[in-house]
mmCIF file of all heavy atoms in Angstrom:
data_model
loop_
_atom_site.group_PDB
_atom_site.id
_atom_site.type_symbol
_atom_site.label_atom_id
_atom_site.label_comp_id
_atom_site.label_asym_id
_atom_site.label_seq_id
_atom_site.Cartn_x
_atom_site.Cartn_y
_atom_site.Cartn_z
ATOM 1 N N MET A 275 149.240 123.935 39.865
ATOM 2 C CA MET A 275 149.868 123.687 41.141
ATOM 3 C C MET A 275 148.788 123.718 42.219
ATOM 4 O O MET A 275 147.959 124.613 42.258
ATOM 5 C CB MET A 275 150.929 124.756 41.416
ATOM 6 C CG MET A 275 151.508 124.647 42.790
ATOM 7 S SD MET A 275 152.555 126.034 43.304
ATOM 8 C CE MET A 275 153.854 125.988 42.134
ATOM 9 N N ASN A 276 148.801 122.747 43.083
ATOM 10 C CA ASN A 276 147.874 122.715 44.206
ATOM 11 C C ASN A 276 148.398 123.598 45.322
ATOM 12 O O ASN A 276 149.587 123.597 45.618
ATOM 13 C CB ASN A 276 147.700 121.288 44.721
ATOM 14 C CG ASN A 276 147.000 120.411 43.727
ATOM 15 O OD1 ASN A 276 146.219 120.893 42.923
ATOM 16 N ND2 ASN A 276 147.268 119.126 43.764
ATOM 17 N N ARG A 277 147.509 124.319 45.939
ATOM 18 C CA ARG A 277 147.893 125.187 47.050
ATOM 19 C C ARG A 277 147.018 124.877 48.244
ATOM 20 O O ARG A 277 145.864 124.527 48.100
ATOM 21 C CB ARG A 277 147.730 126.651 46.679
ATOM 22 C CG ARG A 277 148.681 127.080 45.602
ATOM 23 C CD ARG A 277 148.505 128.527 45.291
ATOM 24 N NE ARG A 277 149.366 128.869 44.182
ATOM 25 C CZ ARG A 277 149.911 130.038 44.010
ATOM 26 N NH1 ARG A 277 149.664 130.999 44.865
ATOM 27 N NH2 ARG A 277 150.685 130.279 43.000
ATOM 28 N N GLY A 278 147.597 125.020 49.406
ATOM 29 C CA GLY A 278 146.851 124.792 50.624
ATOM 30 C C GLY A 278 147.526 125.521 51.764
ATOM 31 O O GLY A 278 148.628 126.042 51.623
ATOM 32 N N PRO A 279 146.868 125.577 52.906
ATOM 33 C CA PRO A 279 147.463 126.273 54.049
ATOM 34 C C PRO A 279 148.666 125.507 54.595
ATOM 35 O O PRO A 279 148.744 124.287 54.518
ATOM 36 C CB PRO A 279 146.329 126.314 55.069
ATOM 37 C CG PRO A 279 145.438 125.189 54.697
ATOM 38 C CD PRO A 279 145.557 125.018 53.204
ATOM 39 N N LEU A 280 149.579 126.261 55.126
ATOM 40 C CA LEU A 280 150.756 125.704 55.780
ATOM 41 C C LEU A 280 150.673 126.103 57.241
ATOM 42 O O LEU A 280 150.647 127.294 57.562
ATOM 43 C CB LEU A 280 152.031 126.258 55.148
ATOM 44 C CG LEU A 280 153.349 125.846 55.781
ATOM 45 C CD1 LEU A 280 153.551 124.343 55.639
ATOM 46 C CD2 LEU A 280 154.493 126.581 55.135
ATOM 47 N N VAL A 281 150.604 125.127 58.127
ATOM 48 C CA VAL A 281 150.463 125.405 59.550
ATOM 49 C C VAL A 281 151.762 125.002 60.243
ATOM 50 O O VAL A 281 152.183 123.850 60.178
ATOM 51 C CB VAL A 281 149.272 124.626 60.152
ATOM 52 C CG1 VAL A 281 149.143 124.905 61.634
ATOM 53 C CG2 VAL A 281 147.991 124.974 59.423
ATOM 54 N N LEU A 282 152.393 125.988 60.880
ATOM 55 C CA LEU A 282 153.639 125.759 61.607
ATOM 56 C C LEU A 282 153.514 126.335 63.007
ATOM 57 O O LEU A 282 152.839 127.343 63.213
ATOM 58 C CB LEU A 282 154.815 126.458 60.910
ATOM 59 C CG LEU A 282 155.174 126.023 59.501
ATOM 60 C CD1 LEU A 282 156.231 126.962 58.944
ATOM 61 C CD2 LEU A 282 155.664 124.602 59.475
ATOM 62 N N SER A 283 154.216 125.717 63.944
ATOM 63 C CA SER A 283 154.304 126.331 65.265
ATOM 64 C C SER A 283 155.310 127.480 65.173
ATOM 65 O O SER A 283 156.050 127.608 64.187
ATOM 66 C CB SER A 283 154.768 125.312 66.306
ATOM 67 O OG SER A 283 156.117 124.964 66.064
ATOM 68 N N ILE A 284 155.347 128.318 66.185
ATOM 69 C CA ILE A 284 156.300 129.429 66.205
ATOM 70 C C ILE A 284 157.723 128.873 66.137
ATOM 71 O O ILE A 284 158.559 129.378 65.387
ATOM 72 C CB ILE A 284 156.115 130.289 67.469
ATOM 73 C CG1 ILE A 284 154.731 130.916 67.481
ATOM 74 C CG2 ILE A 284 157.198 131.362 67.552
ATOM 75 C CD1 ILE A 284 154.355 131.563 68.799
ATOM 76 N N GLU A 285 157.980 127.809 66.885
ATOM 77 C CA GLU A 285 159.318 127.220 66.906
ATOM 78 C C GLU A 285 159.713 126.669 65.536
ATOM 79 O O GLU A 285 160.845 126.833 65.096
ATOM 80 C CB GLU A 285 159.405 126.101 67.952
ATOM 81 C CG GLU A 285 159.373 126.577 69.386
ATOM 82 C CD GLU A 285 157.963 126.863 69.892
ATOM 83 O OE1 GLU A 285 156.982 126.462 69.227
ATOM 84 O OE2 GLU A 285 157.855 127.517 70.939
ATOM 85 N N GLU A 286 158.766 126.037 64.857
ATOM 86 C CA GLU A 286 159.057 125.492 63.527
ATOM 87 C C GLU A 286 159.352 126.606 62.525
ATOM 88 O O GLU A 286 160.290 126.509 61.737
ATOM 89 C CB GLU A 286 157.881 124.651 63.034
ATOM 90 C CG GLU A 286 157.706 123.356 63.790
ATOM 91 C CD GLU A 286 156.389 122.667 63.494
ATOM 92 O OE1 GLU A 286 155.403 123.348 63.153
ATOM 93 O OE2 GLU A 286 156.357 121.432 63.617
ATOM 94 N N ALA A 287 158.578 127.684 62.589
ATOM 95 C CA ALA A 287 158.803 128.809 61.683
ATOM 96 C C ALA A 287 160.161 129.457 61.948
ATOM 97 O O ALA A 287 160.898 129.782 61.012
ATOM 98 C CB ALA A 287 157.689 129.834 61.834
ATOM 99 N N GLU A 288 160.508 129.643 63.224
ATOM 100 C CA GLU A 288 161.814 130.218 63.563
ATOM 101 C C GLU A 288 162.948 129.304 63.124
ATOM 102 O O GLU A 288 163.966 129.767 62.619
ATOM 103 C CB GLU A 288 161.892 130.488 65.062
ATOM 104 C CG GLU A 288 161.032 131.649 65.489
ATOM 105 C CD GLU A 288 160.986 131.842 66.992
ATOM 106 O OE1 GLU A 288 161.275 130.891 67.746
ATOM 107 O OE2 GLU A 288 160.638 132.950 67.419
ATOM 108 N N PHE A 289 162.780 127.999 63.295
ATOM 109 C CA PHE A 289 163.801 127.044 62.879
ATOM 110 C C PHE A 289 164.024 127.121 61.372
ATOM 111 O O PHE A 289 165.164 127.178 60.907
ATOM 112 C CB PHE A 289 163.405 125.621 63.285
ATOM 113 C CG PHE A 289 164.359 124.569 62.787
ATOM 114 C CD1 PHE A 289 165.559 124.355 63.443
ATOM 115 C CD2 PHE A 289 164.065 123.819 61.666
ATOM 116 C CE1 PHE A 289 166.445 123.394 62.993
ATOM 117 C CE2 PHE A 289 164.949 122.859 61.201
ATOM 118 C CZ PHE A 289 166.138 122.640 61.866
ATOM 119 N N LEU A 290 162.940 127.132 60.601
ATOM 120 C CA LEU A 290 163.078 127.207 59.147
ATOM 121 C C LEU A 290 163.746 128.506 58.724
ATOM 122 O O LEU A 290 164.590 128.518 57.822
ATOM 123 C CB LEU A 290 161.711 127.070 58.476
ATOM 124 C CG LEU A 290 161.090 125.693 58.519
ATOM 125 C CD1 LEU A 290 159.682 125.732 57.931
ATOM 126 C CD2 LEU A 290 161.946 124.678 57.783
ATOM 127 N N LEU A 291 163.395 129.598 59.370
ATOM 128 C CA LEU A 291 164.018 130.883 59.052
ATOM 129 C C LEU A 291 165.510 130.848 59.370
ATOM 130 O O LEU A 291 166.327 131.366 58.603
ATOM 131 C CB LEU A 291 163.331 132.006 59.826
ATOM 132 C CG LEU A 291 163.740 133.413 59.467
ATOM 133 C CD1 LEU A 291 163.406 133.720 58.013
ATOM 134 C CD2 LEU A 291 163.055 134.410 60.366
ATOM 135 N N ASP A 292 165.875 130.209 60.480
ATOM 136 C CA ASP A 292 167.296 130.099 60.848
ATOM 137 C C ASP A 292 168.080 129.246 59.867
ATOM 138 O O ASP A 292 169.289 129.422 59.715
ATOM 139 C CB ASP A 292 167.440 129.504 62.249
ATOM 140 C CG ASP A 292 167.010 130.466 63.336
ATOM 141 O OD1 ASP A 292 166.917 131.680 63.049
ATOM 142 O OD2 ASP A 292 166.772 130.004 64.466
ATOM 143 N N GLN A 293 167.415 128.309 59.191
ATOM 144 C CA GLN A 293 168.093 127.414 58.258
ATOM 145 C C GLN A 293 168.381 128.076 56.914
ATOM 146 O O GLN A 293 169.247 127.620 56.171
ATOM 147 C CB GLN A 293 167.268 126.139 58.030
ATOM 148 C CG GLN A 293 167.049 125.327 59.284
ATOM 149 C CD GLN A 293 168.336 125.008 60.020
ATOM 150 O OE1 GLN A 293 169.247 124.442 59.437
ATOM 151 N NE2 GLN A 293 168.417 125.394 61.275
ATOM 152 N N LEU A 294 167.650 129.136 56.595
ATOM 153 C CA LEU A 294 167.862 129.836 55.331
ATOM 154 C C LEU A 294 169.035 130.800 55.464
ATOM 155 O O LEU A 294 169.114 131.542 56.445
ATOM 156 C CB LEU A 294 166.621 130.637 54.944
ATOM 157 C CG LEU A 294 165.376 129.837 54.608
ATOM 158 C CD1 LEU A 294 164.190 130.785 54.455
ATOM 159 C CD2 LEU A 294 165.578 129.051 53.343
ATOM 160 N N PRO A 295 169.912 130.816 54.492
ATOM 161 C CA PRO A 295 171.011 131.793 54.570
ATOM 162 C C PRO A 295 170.456 133.208 54.414
ATOM 163 O O PRO A 295 169.436 133.406 53.743
ATOM 164 C CB PRO A 295 171.911 131.423 53.390
ATOM 165 C CG PRO A 295 171.047 130.658 52.465
ATOM 166 C CD PRO A 295 169.982 130.007 53.291
ATOM 167 N N PRO A 296 171.103 134.178 55.035
ATOM 168 C CA PRO A 296 170.648 135.565 54.881
ATOM 169 C C PRO A 296 170.700 135.969 53.409
ATOM 170 O O PRO A 296 171.561 135.493 52.664
ATOM 171 C CB PRO A 296 171.630 136.383 55.694
ATOM 172 C CG PRO A 296 172.419 135.417 56.491
ATOM 173 C CD PRO A 296 172.261 134.077 55.890
ATOM 174 N N PRO A 297 169.808 136.843 52.970
ATOM 175 C CA PRO A 297 169.820 137.268 51.571
ATOM 176 C C PRO A 297 171.067 138.068 51.251
ATOM 177 O O PRO A 297 171.690 138.668 52.135
ATOM 178 C CB PRO A 297 168.562 138.135 51.444
ATOM 179 C CG PRO A 297 168.206 138.526 52.825
ATOM 180 C CD PRO A 297 168.745 137.472 53.738
ATOM 181 N N SER A 298 171.410 138.081 49.976
ATOM 182 C CA SER A 298 172.580 138.844 49.554
ATOM 183 C C SER A 298 172.319 140.333 49.753
ATOM 184 O O SER A 298 171.176 140.777 49.859
ATOM 185 C CB SER A 298 172.896 138.560 48.089
ATOM 186 O OG SER A 298 171.844 139.048 47.274
ATOM 187 N N ASP A 299 173.383 141.106 49.795
ATOM 188 C CA ASP A 299 173.261 142.548 50.009
ATOM 189 C C ASP A 299 172.493 143.233 48.896
ATOM 190 O O ASP A 299 171.900 144.287 49.101
ATOM 191 C CB ASP A 299 174.652 143.186 50.142
ATOM 192 C CG ASP A 299 175.326 142.804 51.444
ATOM 193 O OD1 ASP A 299 174.610 142.488 52.412
ATOM 194 O OD2 ASP A 299 176.561 142.823 51.498
ATOM 195 N N SER A 300 172.494 142.647 47.715
ATOM 196 C CA SER A 300 171.830 143.281 46.579
ATOM 197 C C SER A 300 170.318 143.044 46.575
ATOM 198 O O SER A 300 169.601 143.702 45.837
ATOM 199 C CB SER A 300 172.428 142.762 45.273
ATOM 200 O OG SER A 300 172.212 141.368 45.171
ATOM 201 N N ASP A 301 169.825 142.136 47.397
ATOM 202 C CA ASP A 301 168.405 141.811 47.388
ATOM 203 C C ASP A 301 167.690 142.512 48.546
ATOM 204 O O ASP A 301 167.458 141.937 49.601
ATOM 205 C CB ASP A 301 168.219 140.299 47.462
ATOM 206 C CG ASP A 301 166.826 139.859 47.069
ATOM 207 O OD1 ASP A 301 165.957 140.737 46.907
ATOM 208 O OD2 ASP A 301 166.623 138.640 46.919
ATOM 209 N N GLU A 302 167.341 143.769 48.320
ATOM 210 C CA GLU A 302 166.707 144.590 49.361
ATOM 211 C C GLU A 302 165.332 144.063 49.757
ATOM 212 O O GLU A 302 164.972 144.087 50.924
ATOM 213 C CB GLU A 302 166.596 146.042 48.900
ATOM 214 C CG GLU A 302 167.936 146.749 48.794
ATOM 215 C CD GLU A 302 168.644 146.862 50.137
ATOM 216 O OE1 GLU A 302 167.980 147.138 51.151
ATOM 217 O OE2 GLU A 302 169.861 146.663 50.167
ATOM 218 N N LEU A 303 164.551 143.595 48.796
ATOM 219 C CA LEU A 303 163.214 143.091 49.094
ATOM 220 C C LEU A 303 163.288 141.878 50.019
ATOM 221 O O LEU A 303 162.548 141.787 50.998
ATOM 222 C CB LEU A 303 162.468 142.727 47.812
ATOM 223 C CG LEU A 303 161.062 142.158 48.003
ATOM 224 C CD1 LEU A 303 160.169 143.150 48.742
ATOM 225 C CD2 LEU A 303 160.463 141.756 46.672
ATOM 226 N N ALA A 304 164.197 140.967 49.743
ATOM 227 C CA ALA A 304 164.345 139.774 50.583
ATOM 228 C C ALA A 304 164.757 140.162 51.999
ATOM 229 O O ALA A 304 164.281 139.578 52.970
ATOM 230 C CB ALA A 304 165.352 138.812 49.967
ATOM 231 N N LYS A 305 165.644 141.158 52.115
ATOM 232 C CA LYS A 305 166.061 141.606 53.448
ATOM 233 C C LYS A 305 164.883 142.202 54.220
ATOM 234 O O LYS A 305 164.692 141.910 55.394
ATOM 235 C CB LYS A 305 167.195 142.626 53.350
ATOM 236 C CG LYS A 305 168.529 142.001 53.021
ATOM 237 C CD LYS A 305 169.683 142.918 53.303
ATOM 238 C CE LYS A 305 169.839 143.993 52.290
ATOM 239 N NZ LYS A 305 171.054 144.797 52.437
ATOM 240 N N LYS A 306 164.072 143.034 53.538
ATOM 241 C CA LYS A 306 162.911 143.646 54.190
ATOM 242 C C LYS A 306 161.916 142.577 54.634
ATOM 243 O O LYS A 306 161.386 142.631 55.740
ATOM 244 C CB LYS A 306 162.215 144.617 53.240
ATOM 245 C CG LYS A 306 162.884 145.940 53.101
ATOM 246 C CD LYS A 306 162.049 146.833 52.186
ATOM 247 C CE LYS A 306 162.699 148.175 51.985
ATOM 248 N NZ LYS A 306 161.891 149.038 51.107
ATOM 249 N N LEU A 307 161.660 141.601 53.768
ATOM 250 C CA LEU A 307 160.709 140.543 54.109
ATOM 251 C C LEU A 307 161.205 139.694 55.268
ATOM 252 O O LEU A 307 160.430 139.306 56.136
ATOM 253 C CB LEU A 307 160.439 139.669 52.883
ATOM 254 C CG LEU A 307 159.641 140.340 51.767
ATOM 255 C CD1 LEU A 307 159.585 139.419 50.550
ATOM 256 C CD2 LEU A 307 158.252 140.708 52.231
ATOM 257 N N ARG A 308 162.495 139.422 55.295
ATOM 258 C CA ARG A 308 163.070 138.629 56.391
ATOM 259 C C ARG A 308 162.924 139.371 57.719
ATOM 260 O O ARG A 308 162.556 138.786 58.732
ATOM 261 C CB ARG A 308 164.531 138.311 56.086
ATOM 262 C CG ARG A 308 165.176 137.380 57.078
ATOM 263 C CD ARG A 308 166.632 137.135 56.687
ATOM 264 N NE ARG A 308 167.260 136.218 57.586
ATOM 265 C CZ ARG A 308 167.376 134.921 57.385
ATOM 266 N NH1 ARG A 308 166.906 134.378 56.289
ATOM 267 N NH2 ARG A 308 167.971 134.150 58.267
ATOM 268 N N ILE A 309 163.193 140.667 57.713
ATOM 269 C CA ILE A 309 163.073 141.476 58.920
ATOM 270 C C ILE A 309 161.623 141.515 59.385
ATOM 271 O O ILE A 309 161.330 141.352 60.571
ATOM 272 C CB ILE A 309 163.628 142.893 58.686
ATOM 273 C CG1 ILE A 309 165.147 142.834 58.538
ATOM 274 C CG2 ILE A 309 163.230 143.839 59.814
ATOM 275 C CD1 ILE A 309 165.765 144.126 58.035
ATOM 276 N N LYS A 310 160.687 141.706 58.431
ATOM 277 C CA LYS A 310 159.263 141.729 58.781
ATOM 278 C C LYS A 310 158.822 140.399 59.379
ATOM 279 O O LYS A 310 158.065 140.368 60.345
ATOM 280 C CB LYS A 310 158.416 142.029 57.550
ATOM 281 C CG LYS A 310 158.535 143.425 57.060
ATOM 282 C CD LYS A 310 157.230 144.115 57.254
ATOM 283 C CE LYS A 310 157.300 145.501 56.653
ATOM 284 N NZ LYS A 310 156.537 146.436 57.384
ATOM 285 N N LEU A 311 159.296 139.297 58.820
ATOM 286 C CA LEU A 311 158.934 137.980 59.343
ATOM 287 C C LEU A 311 159.500 137.786 60.743
ATOM 288 O O LEU A 311 158.805 137.283 61.634
ATOM 289 C CB LEU A 311 159.422 136.876 58.410
ATOM 290 C CG LEU A 311 159.103 135.446 58.837
ATOM 291 C CD1 LEU A 311 157.610 135.251 59.039
ATOM 292 C CD2 LEU A 311 159.644 134.464 57.814
ATOM 293 N N LEU A 312 160.735 138.205 60.978
ATOM 294 C CA LEU A 312 161.329 138.101 62.315
ATOM 295 C C LEU A 312 160.532 138.920 63.330
ATOM 296 O O LEU A 312 160.249 138.457 64.432
ATOM 297 C CB LEU A 312 162.784 138.562 62.291
ATOM 298 C CG LEU A 312 163.775 137.605 61.650
ATOM 299 C CD1 LEU A 312 165.129 138.294 61.449
ATOM 300 C CD2 LEU A 312 163.934 136.363 62.502
ATOM 301 N N GLU A 313 160.145 140.141 62.943
ATOM 302 C CA GLU A 313 159.358 140.991 63.836
ATOM 303 C C GLU A 313 157.995 140.361 64.118
ATOM 304 O O GLU A 313 157.513 140.378 65.250
ATOM 305 C CB GLU A 313 159.189 142.382 63.230
ATOM 306 C CG GLU A 313 160.465 143.182 63.203
ATOM 307 C CD GLU A 313 160.343 144.475 62.408
ATOM 308 O OE1 GLU A 313 159.283 144.711 61.766
ATOM 309 O OE2 GLU A 313 161.301 145.258 62.420
ATOM 310 N N PHE A 314 157.374 139.800 63.082
ATOM 311 C CA PHE A 314 156.085 139.147 63.250
ATOM 312 C C PHE A 314 156.190 137.979 64.226
ATOM 313 O O PHE A 314 155.364 137.825 65.128
ATOM 314 C CB PHE A 314 155.558 138.670 61.899
ATOM 315 C CG PHE A 314 154.341 137.801 62.001
ATOM 316 C CD1 PHE A 314 153.117 138.350 62.307
ATOM 317 C CD2 PHE A 314 154.429 136.437 61.809
ATOM 318 C CE1 PHE A 314 151.985 137.552 62.408
ATOM 319 C CE2 PHE A 314 153.314 135.633 61.911
ATOM 320 C CZ PHE A 314 152.083 136.185 62.212
ATOM 321 N N LEU A 315 157.216 137.155 64.070
ATOM 322 C CA LEU A 315 157.382 136.006 64.958
ATOM 323 C C LEU A 315 157.624 136.450 66.400
ATOM 324 O O LEU A 315 157.139 135.825 67.339
ATOM 325 C CB LEU A 315 158.527 135.116 64.467
ATOM 326 C CG LEU A 315 158.229 134.324 63.196
ATOM 327 C CD1 LEU A 315 159.497 133.650 62.687
ATOM 328 C CD2 LEU A 315 157.134 133.304 63.422
ATOM 329 N N GLN A 316 158.356 137.551 66.584
ATOM 330 C CA GLN A 316 158.576 138.065 67.937
ATOM 331 C C GLN A 316 157.260 138.521 68.557
ATOM 332 O O GLN A 316 156.995 138.254 69.735
ATOM 333 C CB GLN A 316 159.573 139.220 67.911
ATOM 334 C CG GLN A 316 160.985 138.790 67.607
ATOM 335 C CD GLN A 316 161.908 139.972 67.357
ATOM 336 O OE1 GLN A 316 161.476 141.117 67.255
ATOM 337 N NE2 GLN A 316 163.203 139.678 67.221
ATOM 338 N N GLN A 317 156.418 139.204 67.782
ATOM 339 C CA GLN A 317 155.126 139.665 68.288
ATOM 340 C C GLN A 317 154.204 138.486 68.601
ATOM 341 O O GLN A 317 153.500 138.495 69.607
ATOM 342 C CB GLN A 317 154.453 140.603 67.272
ATOM 343 C CG GLN A 317 155.146 141.924 67.122
ATOM 344 C CD GLN A 317 155.176 142.718 68.418
ATOM 345 O OE1 GLN A 317 154.200 142.756 69.159
ATOM 346 N NE2 GLN A 317 156.302 143.330 68.700
ATOM 347 N N VAL A 318 154.209 137.482 67.746
ATOM 348 C CA VAL A 318 153.377 136.309 67.972
ATOM 349 C C VAL A 318 153.825 135.585 69.237
ATOM 350 O O VAL A 318 153.021 135.146 70.043
ATOM 351 C CB VAL A 318 153.414 135.360 66.746
ATOM 352 C CG1 VAL A 318 152.773 134.027 67.050
ATOM 353 C CG2 VAL A 318 152.729 136.006 65.565
ATOM 354 N N ARG A 319 155.142 135.488 69.411
ATOM 355 C CA ARG A 319 155.665 134.806 70.602
ATOM 356 C C ARG A 319 155.251 135.546 71.867
ATOM 357 O O ARG A 319 154.936 134.933 72.873
ATOM 358 C CB ARG A 319 157.182 134.679 70.534
ATOM 359 C CG ARG A 319 157.744 133.883 71.696
ATOM 360 C CD ARG A 319 159.190 133.573 71.561
ATOM 361 N NE ARG A 319 159.494 132.564 70.592
ATOM 362 C CZ ARG A 319 159.287 131.249 70.746
ATOM 363 N NH1 ARG A 319 158.721 130.820 71.836
ATOM 364 N NH2 ARG A 319 159.634 130.408 69.823
ATOM 365 N N LYS A 320 155.243 136.885 71.823
ATOM 366 C CA LYS A 320 154.832 137.675 72.998
ATOM 367 C C LYS A 320 153.407 137.330 73.413
ATOM 368 O O LYS A 320 153.094 137.304 74.583
ATOM 369 C CB LYS A 320 154.935 139.167 72.704
ATOM 370 C CG LYS A 320 156.312 139.727 72.770
ATOM 371 C CD LYS A 320 156.263 141.213 72.520
ATOM 372 C CE LYS A 320 157.639 141.811 72.387
ATOM 373 N NZ LYS A 320 157.586 143.248 72.070
ATOM 374 N N GLY A 321 152.534 137.129 72.418
ATOM 375 C CA GLY A 321 151.139 136.879 72.721
ATOM 376 C C GLY A 321 150.772 135.403 72.768
ATOM 377 O O GLY A 321 149.599 135.068 72.881
ATOM 378 N N ALA A 322 151.768 134.542 72.684
ATOM 379 C CA ALA A 322 151.484 133.095 72.636
ATOM 380 C C ALA A 322 150.983 132.595 73.984
ATOM 381 O O ALA A 322 151.370 133.088 75.048
ATOM 382 C CB ALA A 322 152.743 132.335 72.238
ATOM 383 N N GLU A 323 150.130 131.600 73.904
ATOM 384 C CA GLU A 323 149.589 130.976 75.107
ATOM 385 C C GLU A 323 150.727 130.360 75.916
ATOM 386 O O GLU A 323 151.593 129.677 75.370
ATOM 387 C CB GLU A 323 148.601 129.886 74.701
ATOM 388 C CG GLU A 323 147.881 129.252 75.856
ATOM 389 C CD GLU A 323 146.851 128.250 75.373
ATOM 390 O OE1 GLU A 323 146.168 128.525 74.389
ATOM 391 O OE2 GLU A 323 146.772 127.189 75.980
ATOM 392 N N GLY A 324 150.750 130.610 77.195
ATOM 393 C CA GLY A 324 151.774 130.042 78.061
ATOM 394 C C GLY A 324 153.047 130.879 78.140
ATOM 395 O O GLY A 324 153.970 130.525 78.859
ATOM 396 N N SER A 325 153.122 131.984 77.391
ATOM 397 C CA SER A 325 154.327 132.808 77.465
ATOM 398 C C SER A 325 154.228 133.755 78.653
ATOM 399 O O SER A 325 153.148 134.143 79.084
ATOM 400 C CB SER A 325 154.525 133.612 76.178
ATOM 401 O OG SER A 325 153.466 134.529 76.005
ATOM 402 N N ARG A 326 155.374 134.107 79.192
ATOM 403 C CA ARG A 326 155.402 135.040 80.318
ATOM 404 C C ARG A 326 155.288 136.450 79.802
ATOM 405 O O ARG A 326 155.841 136.806 78.777
ATOM 406 C CB ARG A 326 156.722 134.889 81.078
ATOM 407 C CG ARG A 326 156.845 133.554 81.713
ATOM 408 C CD ARG A 326 158.124 133.491 82.497
ATOM 409 N NE ARG A 326 158.486 132.098 82.633
ATOM 410 C CZ ARG A 326 159.645 131.692 83.067
ATOM 411 N NH1 ARG A 326 160.560 132.545 83.421
ATOM 412 N NH2 ARG A 326 159.899 130.417 83.185
ATOM 413 N N LYS A 327 154.581 137.260 80.550
ATOM 414 C CA LYS A 327 154.389 138.650 80.102
ATOM 415 C C LYS A 327 155.213 139.606 80.907
ATOM 416 O O LYS A 327 155.657 139.437 81.929
ATOM 417 C CB LYS A 327 152.931 139.007 80.182
ATOM 418 C CG LYS A 327 152.149 138.114 79.257
ATOM 419 C CD LYS A 327 150.779 138.627 79.034
ATOM 420 C CE LYS A 327 150.135 137.644 78.096
ATOM 421 N NZ LYS A 327 149.107 138.030 77.341
#
């Protein structure tokens, strides 16, 4: 399998995350990863160029 970097804007990453259904209650790892990704995107947005502080 070929692998390469995936470059997304903050908006594109948030859109893709919104399109995925939430993980089932039994999948704790998926829930933790989703929460971490949401927190990461919020932090990135805070420091994004052109954002209000």
Side-chain angles (χ1 to χ4, degrees):
M275 173 190 298
N276 293 332
R277 294 181 184 211
L280 176 64
V281 179
L282 298 172
S283 69
I284 297 169
E285 289 81 13
E286 290 168 332
E288 288 174 339
F289 175 79
L290 288 175
L291 188 62
D292 289 343
Q293 299 307 305
L294 294 171
S298 66
D299 289 334
S300 62
D301 196 351
E302 291 297 319
L303 179 59
K305 284 196 284 188
K306 282 183 181 180
L307 290 173
R308 186 180 182 95
I309 290 169
K310 289 247 185 214
L311 180 56
L312 286 169
E313 290 171 354
F314 171 74
L315 288 171
Q316 289 170 351
Q317 291 299 319
V318 169
R319 184 172 287 285
K320 282 183 188 177
E323 185 176 319
S325 64
R326 295 183 203 168
K327 298 194 180 203

